[in-house]
């Protein structure tokens, strides 16, 4: 028996080797093998069924782990929230914070005890749990679904958090960009025209959240996605038991006005005083729905232009060739109401207009067909690889199944994905480029320092740049009277705080500022001796010093966390030496240049805007037209911009009026109110006391 098996195995191996030898003799190794036809993808099984109340259910079985992921997705036609912008997102946060039977703490404790996760959103509700706890989590889910209470105290917490985020967004270029784009592209009455502000946050009530719940949380506009350790019979029984008696509702739809398409090049600008970088975006709305046959070809065209990372035209041009940026990209997005095509990133401030020019140049190259078969094949291969890797996840299969159901796509839409991708030709790419790309009719959005504005204006088709504030509202600029000069503005300020002679008589200054940040009490003591270019700053938390910076004898010493470093670099020392407390008395002989740039509103009052520049570094100061006092300062350092609104001027023992309250907006922190608890002049401090 053993010998017979050995003989069969030997003959089998010999036959295999012979076939390999014959095959190798026929292969022409001077040519790359031709690719076979793209396969039809078996991307996983899923089952669908519908309850009598119209609730659609999709099940993706995955028995590798004893886990169930259960999610209800609500299909809500976007609507205008207007004066209550933020209402839907607040509802989503508030929904799971209390029911008739459970408080917010009880809900959290019960979910944590089971080792599960539970989530609510404006358009979703769901959980993930071990299979054995599925019924217990369904009890929690249906309690939230049927019996929410929308507690006022929880809404107050959500609103406070939102107001904090809004304060941080005042100086966030990305948030400002979103707002000015929204205000420009979407007209009043369009579902996407909402911009959340402090006023809209304050206007949202519990009744608004309850009304959203009653209008949109209905079974006949929802799709349940179940992924995990469950079979079809179990899924049907579970959904019928917990969701079968959920009553239908009326599906509400809305009509939207047409979006505002750009005519020519339209430059829209929002100032971020002192910014060393500009955040830019070249954008146009497009009509591209999720079921469009153009989506795949347009995705490849976009990859060639700017969406393909290091290999895309934009990255090679703006980063590698010109060095304008660390990264610039493009994207296309589909949407049932309004899609968009855009390109942009953060660029050097002095290359703002040049970056737009190069983005437009590369877009024109796309129009002219400046791409090859090799470009097409490279990105087709990349997309095929990404798609194939995504199939390893059951959640991806569930997402595919939901997308097919949600947008009415063919059942084999993803099964034939690789075939359709493989069939794309250069003619297909040319067709979508001609249809969706238009370099001559684009919005050019920019958030940056106002100094970049004149160069941008030269490219605007009508020469008029639209200027919007951080909330997307038009900036109203008032005419400065002919008899007002930058010298008169600065002199009025000096007179308002006590007079030029008093300011010029300052020999030293000590200031202590207290603030609360992220739950911590922080004290900062600053000492200045201008004539000797000596300076110190000590920060303390809870009365304990945590860091110190000392400038003395042309050296900077930094101490923090038990470590000490000495800096002698002349450029850094020179920058730190700019320590005069009231630089308005200085002039060109000290390297200062002041420019009057107009009148803007600060806290509802007119103020002269003055640009201060020294050694190429700009700061902006605002002086109340009526009182002459400085009411706002904007300074930038290391790419970060800090804004301070100054108030509560009081007379010091020295005689100078000084602002004792400063509302400071800092990156990643938001609004912090600082109180000056001590300010002294000419106390005779010496450098060795710093």
């Amino acid at each position: 028996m053993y010998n017979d098996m050995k003989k069969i195995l030997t003959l089998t191996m010999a036959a295999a080797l012979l076939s390999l030898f014959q095959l190798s003799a026929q292969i022409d190794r001077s040519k790359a093998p031709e690719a076979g036809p793209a396969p039809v993808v078996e991307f996983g099984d899923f089952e669908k069924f519908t309850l009598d109340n119209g609730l659609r259910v999709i099940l993706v079985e995955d028995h590798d782990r004893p886990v169930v992921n259960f999610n209800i997705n609500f299909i809500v036609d976007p609507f205008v929230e207007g004066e209550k912008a933020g209402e839907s997102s607040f509802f989503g946060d508030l929904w799971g914070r209390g029911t008739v039977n459970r408080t917010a703490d009880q809900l959290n404790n019960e979910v944590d005890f089971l080792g599960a996760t539970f989530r609510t959103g404006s358009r979703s509700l769901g959980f993930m749990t071990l299979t054995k706890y599925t019924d217990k989590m369904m009890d929690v889910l249906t309690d939230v679904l049927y019996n929410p209470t929308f507690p006022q105290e929880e809404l107050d917490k959500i609103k406070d958090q939102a107001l904090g985020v809004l304060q941080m967004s005042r100086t966030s270029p990305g948030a400002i960009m979103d707002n000015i784009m929204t205000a420009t592209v979407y007209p009043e009455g369009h579902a996407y025209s909402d911009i959340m502000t402090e006023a809209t946050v304050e206007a949202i009530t519990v009744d608004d959240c309850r009304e959203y719940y009653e209008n949109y949380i209905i079974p006949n506009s929802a799709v349940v996605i179940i992924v995990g350790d469950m079979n079809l019979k179990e899924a049907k029984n579970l959904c019928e038991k917990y969701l079968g008696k959920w009553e239908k509702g009326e599906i509400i739809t809305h009509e939207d006005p047409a979006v505002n398409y750009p005519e020519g090049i339209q430059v829209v600008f929002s100032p971020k005083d002192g910014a060393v970088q500009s955040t830019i975006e070249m954008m146009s709305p497009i009509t591209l729905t999720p079921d469009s046959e153009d989506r795949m070809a347009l995705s490849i065209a976009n990859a060639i232009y700017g969406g393909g990372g290091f290999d895309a035209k934009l990255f090679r041009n703006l980063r590698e060739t010109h060095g304008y940026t660390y990264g610039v990209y493009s994207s296309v997005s589909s949407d049932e109401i309004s899609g968009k095509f855009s390109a942009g990133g953060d660029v050097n401030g002095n290359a703002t207009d040049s970056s737009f020019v190069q983005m437009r140049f590369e877009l024109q190259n796309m129009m002219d067909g400046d791409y090859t078969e090799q470009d097409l094949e490279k990105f087709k291969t990349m997309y095929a690889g990404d798609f194939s890797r995504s199939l390893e996840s059951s959640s991806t299969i569930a997402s595919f199944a939901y997308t097919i159901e949600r947008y009415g796509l063919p059942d084999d839409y993803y099964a034939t994905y690789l075939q359709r991708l493989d069939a794309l030709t250069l003619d297909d790419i040319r067709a979508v480029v001609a249809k969706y790309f238009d370099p001559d009719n684009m919005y050019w959005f920019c958030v940056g320092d106002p100094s970049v504005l004149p160069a941008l204006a030269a490219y605007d088709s009508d020469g008029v740049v639209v200027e919007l504030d951080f909330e997307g509202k038009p900036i109203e600029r008032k005419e400065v009277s002919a008899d007002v000069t930058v010298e008169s503005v600065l002199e009025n300020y000096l007179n308002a705080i006590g007079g030029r002679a008093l300011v010029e008589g300052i020999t030293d200054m000590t200031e202590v500022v207290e603030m609360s940040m992220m739950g911590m009490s922080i004290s900062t003591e600053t000492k200045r001796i201008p004539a000797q270019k000596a300076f110190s700053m000590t920060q303390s938390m809870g009365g304990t010093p945590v860091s110190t910076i000392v400038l003395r004898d042309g050296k900077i010493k930094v101490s923090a966390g038990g470590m000490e470093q000495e800096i002698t670099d002349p450029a850094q020392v020179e920058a730190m030496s700019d320590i005069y407390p009231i630089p308005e008395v200085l002039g060109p002989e000290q390297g200062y240049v002041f420019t009057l740039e107009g009148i803007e509103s600060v806290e509802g009052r007119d103020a002269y805007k003055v640009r201060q520049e020294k050694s190429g570094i700009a700061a902006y100061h605002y002086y109340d037209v009526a009182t002459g006092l400085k009411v706002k300062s904007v300074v930038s350092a290391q790419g970060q911009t800090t804004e301070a609104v100054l108030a509560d001027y009081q007379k010091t023992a020295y005689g100078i009026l000084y602002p004792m309250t400063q509302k400071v907006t800092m990156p990643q922190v938001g609004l912090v109110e600082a109180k000056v608890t001590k300010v002294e002049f000419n106390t005779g401090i010496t450098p060795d006391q710093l």
Side-chain angles (χ1 to χ4, degrees), residues 115-169:
T117 60
F118 183 74
R119 52 195 176 271
T120 62
S122 62
R123 301 182 184 184
S124 65
L125 172 73
F127 64 80
M128 184 171 70
T129 185
L130 291 173
T131 307
K132 62 183 178 180
Y133 297 136
T134 301
D135 276 280
K136 290 183 178 181
M137 284 305 300
M138 285 300 295
D139 183 65
V140 171
L141 180 142
T142 49
D143 191 22
V144 172
L145 179 62
Y146 300 140
N147 308 307
T149 53
F150 305 113
Q152 180 65 54
E153 63 272 17
E154 294 295 331
L155 178 61
D156 292 340
K157 294 177 185 177
I158 293 169
K159 291 170 74 169
D160 287 343
Q161 291 171 347
L163 290 172
V165 171
L166 283 175
Q167 286 294 340
M168 283 191 284
S169 71

Side-chain angles (χ1 to χ4, degrees), residues 535-555:
F535 163 91
S536 71
M537 176 186 290
T538 301
Q539 284 196 328
S540 303
M541 292 186 183
T544 303
V546 293
S547 67
T548 302
I549 301 175
V550 177
L551 167 65
R552 186 171 47 211
D553 301 326
K555 300 176 183 178

Side-chain angles (χ1 to χ4, degrees), residues 478-643:
K478 297 184 178 180
E479 291 291 330
V480 177
S481 175
D483 60 346
V484 175
T485 64
V486 68
E487 290 79 12
S488 67
V489 170
L490 299 183
E491 201 63 34
N492 285 342
Y493 164 64
L494 295 173
N495 291 334
I497 63 174
R500 175 178 285 272
L502 205 58
V503 174
E504 289 179 338
I506 295 174
T507 57
D508 64 72
M509 174 182 173
T510 301
E511 177 188 38
V512 177
V513 178
E514 306 279 351
M515 67 176 69
S516 179
M517 185 187 303
M518 300 180 182
M520 298 178 291
S521 178
I522 300 174
S523 174
T524 303
E525 182 180 52
T526 305
K527 296 181 179 181
R528 295 179 174 91
I529 309 175
Q532 299 187 52
K533 292 188 176 182
F535 163 91
S536 71
M537 176 186 290
T538 301
Q539 284 196 328
S540 303
M541 292 186 183
T544 303
V546 293
S547 67
T548 302
I549 301 175
V550 177
L551 167 65
R552 186 171 47 211
D553 301 326
K555 300 176 183 178
I556 302 171
K557 186 177 290 185
V558 180
S559 304
M563 300 181 66
E564 194 171 277
Q565 180 182 6
E566 188 173 272
I567 300 172
T568 58
D569 177 65
Q572 294 187 51
V573 172
E574 177 61 27
M576 183 68 76
S577 300
D578 187 19
I579 61 172
Y580 200 83
I582 305 174
E584 283 82 358
V585 296
L586 306 178
E589 59 276 12
Q590 290 88 19
Y592 283 87
V593 177
F594 296 95
T595 309
L596 180 59
E597 296 203 340
I599 297 177
E600 293 186 15
S601 177
V602 177
E603 303 280 284
R605 294 174 62 89
D606 288 345
Y608 294 115
K609 178 181 179 181
V610 174
R611 175 185 170 94
Q612 170 195 307
E613 186 171 346
K614 183 177 187 289
S615 302
I617 300 174
Y620 292 85
H621 305 290
Y622 297 77
Y623 304 87
D624 190 292
V625 170
T627 66
L629 294 172
K630 184 191 294 186
V631 290
K632 177 179 170 182
S633 288
V634 179
V635 296
S636 294
Q638 297 179 334
Q640 302 290 328
T641 301
T642 299
E643 175 183 305

